Amino acid sequence: MSDEKFVPHLSQVKEASKELPDAELWPEETYVAVVKGKTRTYQLTFRRIPYMSREKGKTFRWAYEGLVRVN
């Protein structure tokens, strides 16, 4: 893993989001997904946030709060 700053492409964030567990069942407030770069692997941290659903009431969803490259 790398400690340097990494700004993922939007496609990398989307790919990492496919491995997220169910936010309602996950016991932690964060989840770390691994993304492969050209020469290294990087970590993207997703945070569990509360969400009000019309059907379920209060529930949880995942949010990525970092910078994203779009090009």
Side-chain angles (χ1 to χ4, degrees):
M1 302 293 160
S2 175
D3 291 332
E4 67 186 54
K5 289 285 185 178
F6 171 67
V7 179
H9 284 280
L10 181 58
S11 62
Q12 290 172 308
V13 175
K14 284 183 177 181
E15 189 66 32
S17 72
K18 291 178 183 177
E19 72 177 64
L20 292 171
D22 186 337
E24 292 185 47
L25 302 176
W26 189 250
E28 306 290 326
E29 290 300 314
T30 60
Y31 181 82
V32 177
V34 176
V35 173
K36 292 182 182 179
K38 288 185 179 181
T39 59
R40 298 180 175 161
T41 57
Y42 300 93
Q43 294 180 345
L44 297 181
T45 302
F46 290 84
R47 189 169 67 88
R48 198 172 74 122
I49 59 171
Y51 174 76
M52 287 302 291
S53 168
R54 288 183 182 178
E55 295 85 31
K56 298 179 183 179
K58 183 179 178 182
T59 185
F60 293 93
R61 287 190 175 179
W62 291 110
Y64 175 72
E65 297 178 328
L67 296 174
V68 177
R69 284 190 288 164
V70 179
N71 56 345

